[in-house]
Amino acid sequence: MTSDSSNRSAGERTCLTVILAAGEGKRMASDMPKVLHPVAGLPMVNHVLATCMEAGGNARAVVVGNQAERVSAAVQGFDPDATIHEQKVRAGTAHAVLAARDAIEQGFDDVVMLYGDVPLIRTETLQAARDQLATGQHIVVLGFETDDPHGYGRLLMDGDRLLAIREDKDATDEERAVTFCNSGIIAFSGEHVLSLLDAVENDNAQGEYYAPDTVEIGVARGLNVCAITVPEEDTLGVNDRVQLAQMEALWQRRRREAFLRNGVTMQVPESVVLHHDTVVERDVVIEPNVVFGADVTVASGAAIRAFSHLEGAHVSKNAIVGPYARLRPGTVLEEGAKIGNFVETKAARVGAGAKINHLSYFGDTEIGAKANIGAGSITCNYDGFGKHKTIVGEGAFIGTNTSLVAPVSVGKNANTAAGSVIYKDVPNDDLAIERGEQVNKTGRAVTLRAKNKATKEAQSKD
């Protein structure tokens, strides 16, 4: 690659993103590295990687430190093309970026510094920074306006030109009145980035090398240095569990709004919990208090009723789930299928128009189209050592409280009588009955009541 970008348009420029993920995150009070804490089920650092990939950058370098092997495994499991660079001694952000020197030296038009604990960064925000580099800027700092700037570094401007970044503790009273604040995210011209970072010194109270110092270095060298305004929430980082919960809430709000704008109905949006990979098509209706786990797709026209939990499931067009249903991994509902209240499925394919309406468990199962499963029916799919399959044919009717002992099949249009334990295959169109003969003992209920009453009275005296 080349750093000669003088004649390159924004779309032609090459880009390396350096993601800093070396910190210890002590305030998380956790044995897990901070950047691996999930938002919507995805580690924060992988949210950042996903945005970088979507933004069209050419390469991603992740700087690790704390529990380096664990973070590296999570990163490369998600993005095998990302390169890993270890910062053995944590000595500031400029020092961290330079841990990826070998990646930077490959030569890119743009080098963008991001953080592994800032998961809400958006592609539009990254592109806005790179657009400035394409117009001839050499350093672009992402800033935000806030009503409460306390604790943030201030961006000191001269018109459109950024002069310096002043830390809150070092600012004068006049500078503290500035509400344009530093996000910490910086985009550099690849031609100058190493020279700027190498020039950063550690003559500060912490004895560390800080990337924001490149601003004053660049100004002193006559480089073009600017700051752009981006939404504050794009740049929010996570330092503790409180902020992690806030980040989750912000992510959920964004994704729910995106679904609503794309034609999904949510009756009480704030009660719905989404996963980072949830796919919901237009004209789906989602009632309150629904939770989506990993790997769920819901096709157009389906309805997910209240208090349902879905994970690893596909819901086809016009299917109905719930209320109070649980779809576990491997569940496929074909068009128009219905899963009712207090029904659990796992590794189950439910055919078009088939119904499991009440109080049932069906695992390791294939259910044919338009079959009807009576209330309280279950598959006995586990024998203590392995799982076994149950097949219910098209149009079959499974009577209330039927236990299907796998491996077993019930044929097309066959029936099982209520209360049966079915452990042999049932041919097409047959009725299977397996239960003891009913016997009525005349007057026995009176005798039992008297006996039970006497026992209770004796126990109460004791």
Side-chain angles (χ1 to χ4, degrees):
M1 296 181 184
T2 177
S3 60
D4 181 10
S5 57
S6 57
N7 295 316
R8 293 176 185 265
S9 67
E12 296 174 327
R13 296 172 66 88
T14 59
C15 180
L16 169 69
T17 307
V18 180
I19 301 170
L20 307 188
E24 295 186 24
K26 292 180 179 179
R27 282 181 280 174
M28 296 298 289
S30 175
D31 294 330
M32 180 187 295
K34 178 172 68 169
V35 296
L36 297 190
H37 281 265
V39 172
L42 185 69
M44 288 191 285
V45 66
N46 290 350
H47 276 279
V48 181
L49 283 164
T51 299
C52 294
M53 290 187 281
E54 183 180 340
N58 303 86
R60 295 157 298 283
V62 181
V63 178
V64 300
N66 178 43
Q67 299 190 53
E69 290 185 4
R70 192 173 177 185
V71 176
S72 299
V75 165
Q76 295 196 305
F78 181 79
D79 179 10
D81 294 329
T83 58
I84 302 297
H85 311 266
E86 187 171 1
Q87 184 189 23
K88 295 184 183 297
V89 177
R90 262 73 82 194
T93 50
H95 183 266
V97 177
L98 286 172
R101 180 186 293 273
D102 56 343
I104 298 171
E105 286 177 341
Q106 294 179 32
F108 294 86
D109 298 323
D110 306 335
V111 176
V112 181
M113 181 185 79
L114 296 177
Y115 299 88
D117 62 353
V118 181
L120 296 187
I121 189 73
R122 294 181 300 169
T123 58
E124 303 96 304
T125 299
L126 296 182
Q127 191 57 55
R130 293 189 61 202
D131 286 345
Q132 290 296 317
L133 294 176
T135 64
Q137 296 293 331
H138 300 117
I139 303 174
V140 182
V141 175
L142 274 60
F144 59 89
E145 290 285 352
T146 178
D147 294 332
D148 182 15
H150 178 73
Y152 291 112
R154 307 306 203 277
L155 300 181
L156 306 182
M157 306 293 295
D158 180 13
D160 293 333
R161 183 171 171 79
L162 176 63
L163 299 180
I165 301 175
R166 190 78 72 236
E167 294 304 318
D168 184 70
K169 64 182 183 305
D170 299 324
T172 65
D173 289 342
E174 182 180 1
E175 290 169 341
R176 286 195 182 97
V178 173
T179 58
F180 191 28
C181 296
N182 178 33
S183 72
I185 298 172
I186 307 175
F188 297 95
S189 161
E191 182 179 358
H192 297 279
V193 60
L194 285 175
S195 173
L196 289 164
L197 291 169
D198 283 334
V200 173
E201 298 180 351
N202 66 338
D203 52 348
N204 51 63
Q206 289 73 32
E208 295 189 347
Y209 301 86
Y210 294 125
D213 291 352
T214 58
V215 168
E216 291 191 71
I217 295 169
V219 169
R221 292 180 177 182
L223 298 180
N224 298 324
V225 182
C226 74
I228 60 172
T229 304
V230 301
E232 181 179 0
E233 70 178 36
D234 282 20
T235 68
L236 291 176
V238 171
N239 292 302
D240 56 30
R241 305 281 184 142
V242 173
Q243 292 177 336
L244 181 66
Q246 293 168 345
M247 198 69 65
E248 180 77 31
L250 287 169
W251 187 97
Q252 293 287 340
R253 188 206 73 209
R254 278 187 178 185
R255 186 57 58 91
R256 288 191 294 255
E257 288 181 359
F259 280 0
L260 292 167
R261 295 184 190 283
N262 288 331
V264 175
T265 294
M266 296 184 186
Q267 295 175 342
V268 185
E270 60 271 22
S271 72
V272 176
V273 178
L274 302 167
H275 198 264
H276 73 93
D277 61 359
T278 304
V279 176
V280 182
E281 295 181 358
R282 62 189 298 173
D283 293 323
V284 169
V285 175
I286 302 174
E287 293 185 3
N289 298 298
V290 171
V291 176
F292 292 92
D295 190 25
V296 175
T297 57
V298 184
S300 178
I304 313 299
R305 302 185 66 185
F307 293 97
S308 294
H309 188 288
L310 295 79
E311 180 182 3
H314 173 72
V315 180
S316 297
K317 289 184 177 181
N318 303 318
I320 298 175
V321 177
Y324 295 97
R326 184 182 181 197
L327 306 189
R328 292 171 60 194
T331 295
V332 176
L333 306 186
E334 296 184 359
E335 186 167 355
K338 184 176 181 182
I339 301 296
N341 49 289
F342 304 104
V343 172
E344 179 181 347
T345 61
K346 188 270 298 180
R349 177 175 288 273
V350 182
K355 299 178 181 179
I356 313 176
N357 276 327
H358 320 284
L359 303 160
S360 294
Y361 168 72
F362 271 71
D364 301 289
T365 308
E366 288 187 13
I367 299 174
K370 298 185 179 179
N372 193 314
I373 309 300
S377 296
I378 65 169
T379 56
C380 308
N381 56 319
Y382 182 56
D383 61 8
F385 296 94
K387 300 292 183 68
H388 303 282
K389 193 165 187 176
T390 299
I391 298 175
V392 177
E394 180 179 341
F397 183 91
I398 304 301
T400 297
N401 286 331
T402 294
S403 296
L404 299 167
V405 183
V408 70
S409 64
V410 177
K412 182 177 179 180
N413 296 319
N415 286 22
T416 66
S420 295
V421 178
I422 303 301
Y423 55 91
K424 297 179 181 179
D425 291 350
V426 181
N428 295 346
D429 298 313
D430 277 14
L431 167 64
I433 306 172
E434 194 287 328
R435 59 192 180 204
E437 183 179 354
Q438 180 173 324
V439 179
N440 298 332
K441 300 291 186 178
T442 304
R444 183 63 63 84
V446 177
T447 305
L448 285 173
R449 281 196 297 271
K451 179 182 178 181
N452 292 338
K453 180 179 180 182
T455 301
K456 186 175 183 180
E457 288 174 350
Q459 290 173 343
S460 64
K461 289 178 182 179
D462 292 340

